[in-house]
Amino acid sequence: MSKRKITVALTGLNNTDNPGPGVPVIRGIRESGEFDARILGLAYESLEPAIYMDRVVDKTYLVPYPSDGTDVLINRLLEIHKKDPIDVLIPNFDAELYAFMRSEKILEKAGISTFLPTLEQFEERHKSNLPDFGKKYGVKVPFSKALTRADEIEDLKKDFEYPLMVKGKFYDAYLAYNTEQVRMHYNKITAKWGLPVIVQEFIKGTEVNVVALGDGKGNTIGAVPMRKQYITEQGKAWAGITLDDKKLLDLTDKVISGMKWRGGMELEIVKSFDNELNIIEINPRIPAWVYLAVGAGQNLPEALLKLALGEEVKPYTGYEVGKMFIRYSNDLITDVKEFEKLSTQGEL
Amino acid sequence: MEKKQFERPYIKKLQAGMPSKFGMKSRVEPLTHIEDNGVGDLIKEFGSPLFVISENTIRDTYKKALHAFSIRYPKVQFAWSYKTNYLDAVCRVFHQEGSWAEVVSGFEYDKALGNGVKGSQIIFNGPDKTDEDLKKAVENDSLIHIDHFDEMYSILALSEKSGKKPKVAIRVNMDTGVYPMWDRFGFNYENGDAWDAINRMMINEKLELVGLHSHIGTYMMSTNSYKVAAGKLADLAHGIEKKYGVHIKYIDIGGGFASKNTLKGAYYPGTDTTPSFGEYAEAISSGILNSELDPRNLPTLILETGRALIDDAGWLLGTVIANKRLSSGNRATIVDVGVNLMFTSFWYEHEIFPAAPVSEHLEETTLYGPLCMNIDVLREAIAFPLLKKGDHFVIRRVGAYNMTQWMQFITLRPNVVLLDTEGKPHVIRKKETMQNITEQEVLPGHLT
Amino acid sequence: MQIKKNIAVSETGFVFDPTSGESYSINSEGQEIMVLLKDGKTAEEISETMCAEYEIDKAGFEKYFYDFIGMLRQFQLIETED
């Protein structure tokens, strides 16, 4: 069977020591038995590694940050689409999802397919809404509170025991042992991600993660649980292993069927010492370690592409347990000419 | 051969890093005209800086808001929030559109009367109403929103003298999930104070309780809080229905709708996150309609929306005074508009546009106002085109609060013009003169 | 005033300084001035060329020119005279 030709645009090309999911998603698509994909990388910065990596992206375009406004970002995307038509768009950053979800209809009309959660789903799973989320779907979540003013920090000791987690709206999470540390993290986070800053009860236990894909009708198309074996200073997985844990998969199904989740997601779960599963975060997109799922038998990026194209996708029923990933860094060699071209023309 | 437009030469270090909130900036489009009036022409005629208000934008925005509420709720009444912008011309446009007046001082009250608003269509809010103010309001059948019991007793005493039965409403504060909670105004819902106040007014034959009022905060991005507030007021109204068989005449949900300006510290621009009138209307009307209130006798819904109705209709035009480089090598641009005119620059990251086409080159710039004061900063960091001395620029969305909270500080306040529905400019507030300021001053004899 | 010899100024508005490894972006006015400086033109000659080409008078140009030179000096793109 000859492979279908398709053009996929995606973000998250920052394959650094705190990697975006772009490259692993591309690898999944490249390994697909069904698609022969042309990959357009959408980069926010001219040094995102995947721009310069061999056989990763076919072409890169610089795009403005989502904080510049939805219109600006979408206009740039449509401008790219005009000269280099895009079939499917896969956003890989939390911060940009909002803009793309809001513009789903515009994109669809232009002929760009996406497969994204709805705005409601996106809001519901927000860190600051986690307590309500837990109540609604009957899952355990840590107690949390959203801070919008620095003077609320002093009062935290009324509701929380230290240590506690301080998290940004989209990214960044720090453990704080006292008011002073909360204040420090609060300032750091607001400068980068704005308000609110979320404070979360710290649950002791083992952190496990699940990458999953929902079809928007309540079915789990695929799900692979993983435990991080080695964590970088930034708290990112450096190595991980797939787990055989029915409880984790059941919890994933419960969340996906309850919310009728549409698109990729990552559940961050802490298994406490008495074996209770606490959901500490729900990321509304595929995580950077998704290639482990591909390696374990579930090509979730390929399945996501098919869902975006409106095709029926049969759920994956299994995966290989005990598959490991070990991340490595590599120095690629390029020329300043390439950097110049991207910096001055906005494409490469 | 025609000469090319000159832009000042510029060089910028390319700093590559990972995503942060200051990324590749897109080109800034110029804002050359305000409704067919060239920015340069306006400045030439009326001076710089210059506030410009569009009558068309006010009317269009008002109609949009009214439509959003009217299709969802049967009885809707807007009351123009004077403190947001009380230039008479502006107020009169709102009154022509059908808006009542919402005032918070004797000064504003007299302004509303002066603008021809009927006494019975003036809502008198706020914690500071003097006995004299209250007397006038009682005589004119205005709607007095009671903030505390002291005020209730003042009104009772006055009504005895005048023989009129004052029409009052009470202001209720409540927990709507919004922090900080505004509990300094009115009576609290959760602890029963509001219900207590209602009962004391209902059994008092000298007062007529006609409305319930809340105002949950300012720049509210969450529509759900309005739903909660409307629901709680409706519950109080239902309590009155049940206990006294009286249908309360109106529920006043106050103001606080956000405009599309971007608050400092926000990640997304306001244009992306600010709820539409439709979304606010949906939340508020569903809060009332889903309550136990008798659907055949629904109260009128009063809205005191200020900012969201006027912010878009105002522009501030200005001129570059100088460019300089700071010791860090960063660029600073000094302009003739400072915080004296732009009070809102303390909490917004205002959008600022060049008034003439510019190249795609932008420089990370600090915009300073003209005041000889360190706090006079319009924008701490803005990716700004390479404007030269004498170039004009336009600040967008300045219609709310700036023309009431502005200061006569160091320099005088400029002209304000209104573009009428044909686009023709009219001065609606003349620029101040030395005499305006000094005529208020009195020199003691020994200093003359 | 002399731009360092090894500095490459491309027509696309990209400047690469191989001594420091820094890259810069410039607008077309800046690019033209840098090329003229590289060609060894004097401030007077540059001013004449630019004023003939652009809508600017000599006094106006001079102000921006020296400001620009100040930036080049700050970025150490100009040969220091020994």
Side-chain angles (χ1 to χ4, degrees):
Chain A
M1 194 180 82
S2 75
K3 291 193 191 180
R4 282 189 276 168
K5 287 213 181 297
I6 187 167
T7 303
V8 183
L10 36 71
T11 59
L13 307 181
N14 52 327
N15 209 43
T16 60
D17 61 344
N18 180 6
V23 172
V25 168
I26 295 170
R27 290 178 75 193
I29 294 171
R30 291 266 190 236
E31 286 176 21
S32 160
E34 294 190 37
F35 294 109
D36 173 16
R38 184 174 135 74
I39 304 285
L40 307 183
L42 306 176
Y44 291 104
E45 293 277 354
S46 42
L47 273 190
E48 292 181 25
I51 302 168
Y52 306 97
M53 285 164 76
D54 235 6
R55 256 194 58 77
V56 173
V57 297
D58 294 298
K59 172 105 192 170
T60 302
Y61 294 96
L62 278 180
V63 293
Y65 275 111
S67 55
D68 276 7
T70 301
D71 295 350
V72 181
L73 177 60
I74 297 299
N75 286 343
R76 170 68 173 147
L77 197 65
L78 292 177
E79 182 189 299
I80 295 166
H81 181 56
K82 221 181 201 170
K83 40 178 197 190
D84 210 343
I86 300 164
D87 295 313
V88 179
L89 167 72
I90 305 178
N92 285 312
F93 283 122
D94 292 13
E96 67 192 9
L97 267 182
Y98 181 75
F100 289 128
M101 287 184 303
R102 276 167 47 110
S103 314
E104 215 176 330
K105 288 230 168 66
I106 301 172
L107 295 175
E108 198 186 294
K109 230 171 118 190
I112 304 174
S113 304
T114 53
F115 199 72
L116 306 172
T118 64
L119 271 170
E120 269 163 7
Q121 293 171 342
F122 183 76
E123 280 304 317
E124 204 170 52
R125 52 95 243 165
H126 236 290
K127 278 169 245 189
S128 46
N129 300 335
L130 218 46
D132 291 337
F133 178 88
K135 246 183 264 163
K136 183 166 173 191
Y137 296 105
V139 294
K140 285 203 70 164
V141 297
F143 181 67
S144 11
K145 196 174 167 187
L147 303 183
T148 51
R149 289 179 325 174
D151 57 2
E152 292 171 300
I153 293 171
E154 201 53 50
D155 285 343
L156 285 174
K157 47 182 181 278
K158 286 188 201 150
D159 303 321
F160 288 90
E161 271 180 46
Y162 282 95
L164 45 75
M165 297 299 296
V166 189
K167 297 183 168 187
K169 188 168 162 187
F170 302 114
Y171 299 101
D172 289 349
Y174 304 98
L175 193 60
Y177 287 91
N178 53 46
T179 311
E180 260 327 293
Q181 289 182 355
V182 176
R183 210 179 299 279
M184 189 178 83
H185 299 316
Y186 178 94
N187 291 335
K188 215 183 314 179
I189 290 170
T190 45
K192 200 160 165 197
W193 300 112
L195 294 168
V197 169
I198 294 98
V199 171
Q200 222 172 50
E201 172 194 1
F202 176 67
I203 299 170
K204 288 199 188 76
T206 320
E207 189 180 328
V208 284
N209 300 63
V210 184
V211 55
L213 182 62
D215 70 353
K217 297 175 199 146
N219 303 308
T220 306
I221 296 300
V224 177
M226 174 275 286
R227 187 174 70 83
K228 295 176 188 172
Q229 291 172 297
Y230 189 89
I231 294 173
T232 67
E233 275 170 25
Q234 302 214 36
K236 302 293 151 186
W238 203 252
I241 185 163
T242 57
L243 304 175
D244 177 20
D245 187 337
K246 180 105 186 353
K247 270 180 78 184
L248 281 172
L249 293 175
D250 288 347
L251 178 65
T252 307
D253 279 340
K254 193 171 177 182
V255 170
I256 288 188
S257 64
M259 298 183 82
K260 295 200 163 36
W261 184 263
R262 191 167 183 269
M265 70 147 57
E266 179 191 29
L267 290 175
E268 292 182 18
I269 296 163
V270 173
K271 205 190 272 186
S272 64
F273 295 125
D274 48 359
N275 245 348
E276 291 258 33
L277 299 180
N278 295 270
I279 297 183
I280 55 168
E281 216 162 287
I282 301 170
N283 294 317
R285 39 135 191 105
I286 287 176
W289 57 273
V290 66
Y291 194 67
L292 176 65
V294 179
Q298 296 196 2
N299 193 335
L300 299 180
E302 179 195 54
L304 180 71
L305 263 190
K306 288 205 261 183
L307 286 170
L309 291 169
E311 295 169 16
E312 199 70 36
V313 182
K314 270 222 308 265
Y316 283 105
T317 49
Y319 56 88
E320 285 179 69
V321 173
K323 280 279 168 197
M324 288 172 57
F325 79 91
I326 299 147
R327 224 166 244 169
Y328 68 102
S329 51
N330 193 4
D331 303 347
L332 74 84
I333 305 303
T334 187
D335 194 89
V336 68
K337 288 267 173 307
E338 302 271 290
F339 176 68
E340 170 185 341
K341 211 173 145 206
L342 185 71
S343 302
T344 55
Q345 294 168 23
E347 54 187 85
L348 180 65
Chain B
M1 193 184 73
E2 203 166 308
K3 288 186 180 183
K4 287 191 263 185
Q5 274 299 324
F6 181 78
E7 184 177 68
R8 61 181 160 84
Y10 137 103
I11 179 163
K12 180 179 81 171
K13 196 181 274 188
L14 289 174
Q15 269 153 340
M18 281 304 124
S20 73
K21 56 192 276 192
F22 306 107
M24 165 190 156
K25 286 291 169 189
S26 40
R27 188 189 182 105
V28 173
E29 294 298 329
L31 208 161
T32 57
H33 287 77
I34 295 172
E35 293 182 357
D36 298 336
N37 288 273
V39 169
D41 298 338
L42 284 168
I43 287 180
K44 203 183 244 171
E45 190 173 352
F46 301 103
S48 175
L50 175 69
F51 276 104
V52 177
I53 297 174
S54 154
E55 187 175 339
N56 274 328
T57 308
I58 298 180
R59 292 189 190 271
D60 289 350
T61 312
Y62 180 85
K63 286 192 178 95
K64 256 185 230 154
L66 182 65
H67 179 76
F69 279 90
S70 303
I71 56 171
R72 292 176 172 88
Y73 194 82
K75 285 181 271 182
V76 179
Q77 178 61 52
F78 278 85
W80 175 240
S81 154
Y82 265 52
K83 66 178 172 292
T84 313
N85 189 320
Y86 43 58
L87 292 173
D88 284 342
V90 169
C91 297
R92 282 174 192 239
V93 174
F94 280 107
H95 298 321
Q96 274 189 3
E97 289 291 331
S99 227
W100 293 1
E102 184 262 327
V103 303
V104 292
S105 69
F107 161 75
E108 288 189 0
Y109 187 92
D110 289 342
K111 256 193 161 248
L113 283 181
N115 282 324
V117 183
K118 272 200 287 193
S120 61
Q121 297 185 348
I122 300 177
I123 294 169
F124 202 166
N125 275 326
D128 175 27
K129 311 178 187 91
T130 63
D131 278 357
E132 206 174 309
D133 297 337
L134 286 172
K135 203 169 134 208
K136 214 174 341 181
V138 171
E139 274 161 15
N140 288 322
D141 285 324
S142 297
L143 306 162
I144 306 171
H145 287 193
I146 296 180
D147 188 67
H148 39 73
F149 281 119
D150 283 339
E151 189 167 274
M152 185 181 93
Y153 290 112
S154 302
I155 296 170
L156 282 175
L158 281 167
S159 71
E160 262 165 45
K161 274 184 235 157
S162 74
K164 280 229 174 195
K165 192 170 179 178
K167 291 187 169 52
V168 299
I170 67 157
R171 170 131 181 201
V172 181
N173 68 60
M174 57 182 80
D175 181 5
T176 58
V178 170
Y179 300 93
M181 189 174 130
W182 279 18
D183 60 359
R184 58 175 283 194
F185 303 113
F187 303 88
N188 185 253
Y189 175 89
E190 283 78 19
N191 70 9
D193 276 357
W195 183 238
D196 183 37
I198 287 171
N199 282 310
R200 282 160 78 173
M201 288 177 208
M202 287 305 294
I203 55 170
N204 195 318
E205 293 188 346
K206 293 189 198 112
L207 291 175
E208 186 186 358
L209 182 70
V210 289
L212 301 172
H213 171 215
S214 77
H215 192 124
I216 56 175
T218 188
Y219 225 80
M220 309 300 307
M221 307 293 273
S222 150
T223 57
N224 193 53
S225 309
Y226 280 103
K227 189 172 175 174
V228 173
K232 286 183 175 175
L233 289 186
D235 285 346
L236 289 174
H238 180 240
I240 297 170
E241 243 172 42
K242 266 203 317 209
K243 185 164 175 184
Y244 300 98
V246 172
H247 304 294
I248 209 83
K249 292 214 170 56
Y250 65 85
I251 282 180
D252 179 344
I253 205 73
F257 297 170
S259 76
K260 288 190 158 43
N261 266 313
T262 304
L263 285 178
K264 285 189 177 171
Y267 180 78
Y268 294 122
T271 43
D272 278 7
T273 50
T274 302
S276 64
F277 286 123
E279 288 168 292
Y280 285 119
E282 186 64 36
I284 292 168
S285 51
S286 68
I288 304 177
L289 295 173
N290 296 343
S291 73
E292 301 289 315
L293 273 179
D294 177 1
R296 290 158 304 177
N297 286 293
L298 285 173
T300 298
L301 170 62
I302 293 184
L303 297 139
E304 299 172 355
T305 314
R307 188 197 316 273
L309 287 179
I310 187 72
D311 227 4
D312 275 6
W315 291 266
L316 182 51
L317 282 42
T319 307
V320 173
I321 296 174
N323 282 299
K324 57 163 48 173
R325 237 173 323 119
L326 303 177
S327 59
S328 58
N330 285 350
R331 175 69 57 182
T333 297
I334 306 165
V335 297
D336 64 354
V337 170
V339 293
N340 52 329
L341 302 181
M342 288 286 296
F343 204 79
T344 51
S345 56
F346 287 121
W347 55 83
Y348 295 147
E349 285 182 353
H350 275 289
E351 276 187 286
I352 305 180
F353 300 89
V358 286
S359 78
E360 74 277 14
H361 292 278
L362 300 176
E363 216 170 7
E364 198 68 21
T365 308
T366 305
L367 281 186
Y368 290 115
L371 306 179
C372 197
M373 293 280 291
N374 201 38
I375 55 158
D376 193 21
V377 183
L378 279 188
R379 287 288 303 267
E380 289 284 353
I382 178 174
F384 205 59
L386 313 171
L387 296 193
K388 302 188 293 287
K389 176 181 162 65
D391 284 348
H392 302 310
F393 61 88
V394 179
I395 311 178
R396 207 166 149 195
R397 294 197 181 92
V398 303
Y401 292 105
N402 287 309
M403 280 158 268
T404 48
Q405 289 184 299
W406 52 3
M407 291 174 273
Q408 188 274 305
F409 177 56
I410 295 186
T411 177
L412 302 168
R413 284 171 286 202
N415 277 322
V416 180
V417 301
L418 177 82
L419 304 178
D420 67 21
T421 50
E422 310 285 314
K424 190 168 168 282
H426 306 262
V427 174
I428 59 169
R429 190 180 193 276
K430 287 186 288 193
K431 66 177 177 208
E432 289 167 343
T433 62
M434 178 63 90
Q435 198 198 344
N436 295 147
I437 310 304
T438 50
E439 72 188 358
Q440 294 305 109
E441 296 183 28
V442 182
L443 275 177
H446 69 286
L447 294 177
T448 49
Chain C
M1 257 164 321
Q2 188 67 47
I3 298 276
K4 284 189 186 163
K5 286 203 177 55
N6 57 357
I7 284 173
V9 183
S10 83
E11 275 175 26
T12 53
F14 184 87
V15 175
F16 177 60
D17 175 2
T19 313
S20 67
E22 296 283 3
S23 318
Y24 304 88
S25 99
I26 46 177
N27 61 357
S28 52
E29 287 81 352
Q31 193 241 351
E32 276 185 59
I33 293 174
M34 282 192 82
V35 170
L36 290 168
L37 281 171
K38 267 184 87 83
D39 288 350
K41 297 279 189 290
T42 64
E44 185 58 33
E45 289 166 329
I46 293 173
S47 170
E48 251 166 50
T49 314
M50 296 296 285
C51 290
E53 190 181 343
Y54 289 94
E55 198 65 66
I56 182 101
D57 60 41
K58 278 195 175 163
F61 176 77
E62 190 178 327
K63 183 172 62 175
Y64 298 114
F65 176 71
Y66 283 106
D67 182 75
F68 183 67
I69 296 296
M71 289 304 285
L72 295 183
R73 192 166 285 137
Q74 180 139 4
F75 292 141
Q76 300 182 13
L77 298 174
I78 286 184
E79 208 79 72
T80 43
E81 281 141 65
D82 342 69

